[in-house]
Amino acid sequence: MTLEEFLSLPKQCRYSFVIEFGEFLSSRKLDGEGVAKLFWLEAFYAEMYFEAGKDLPSELRAFEATKGLIPYLREIDIKDVYK
């Protein structure tokens, strides 16, 4: 599925598609008390936002550009690679 096809799906179908077919990559804390979870879907990435204490996502963002990965890459500690 392409990003354009994915974005044409109804909102609830997009959430279900990510949960069923996405490969979980990472999560990060958001400002405040929420969390964002990053998934890979072969042709694009999807980021699901969750409010603290809630199991259902409040928002979903899908993207192809690796620029969207920067918040996750900042959290990877690679200092041991340089020892």
Side-chain angles (χ1 to χ4, degrees):
M1 176 178 290
T2 67
L3 177 58
E4 292 77 22
E5 291 169 330
F6 176 77
L7 293 174
S8 71
L9 295 172
K11 185 178 182 178
Q12 192 57 43
C13 290
R14 283 181 275 173
Y15 291 145
S16 297
F17 187 85
V18 170
I19 296 298
E20 187 172 343
F21 299 107
E23 184 167 336
F24 175 76
L25 297 177
S26 186
S27 64
R28 65 184 175 95
K29 292 182 181 179
L30 301 172
D31 293 338
E33 298 181 6
V35 66
K37 295 183 179 184
L38 179 67
F39 297 84
W40 177 63
L41 291 125
E42 293 188 21
F44 58 93
Y45 299 94
E47 191 175 39
M48 296 178 86
Y49 297 87
F50 295 84
E51 295 176 16
K54 297 196 177 177
D55 294 332
L56 297 175
S58 59
E59 187 180 340
L60 184 139
R61 184 174 74 97
F63 55 92
E64 294 173 317
T66 55
K67 183 178 179 181
L69 301 175
I70 290 173
Y72 297 92
L73 297 175
R74 286 185 185 136
E75 295 185 13
I76 297 173
D77 183 4
I78 61 169
K79 66 183 173 198
D80 290 340
V81 173
Y82 295 103
K83 286 186 178 182

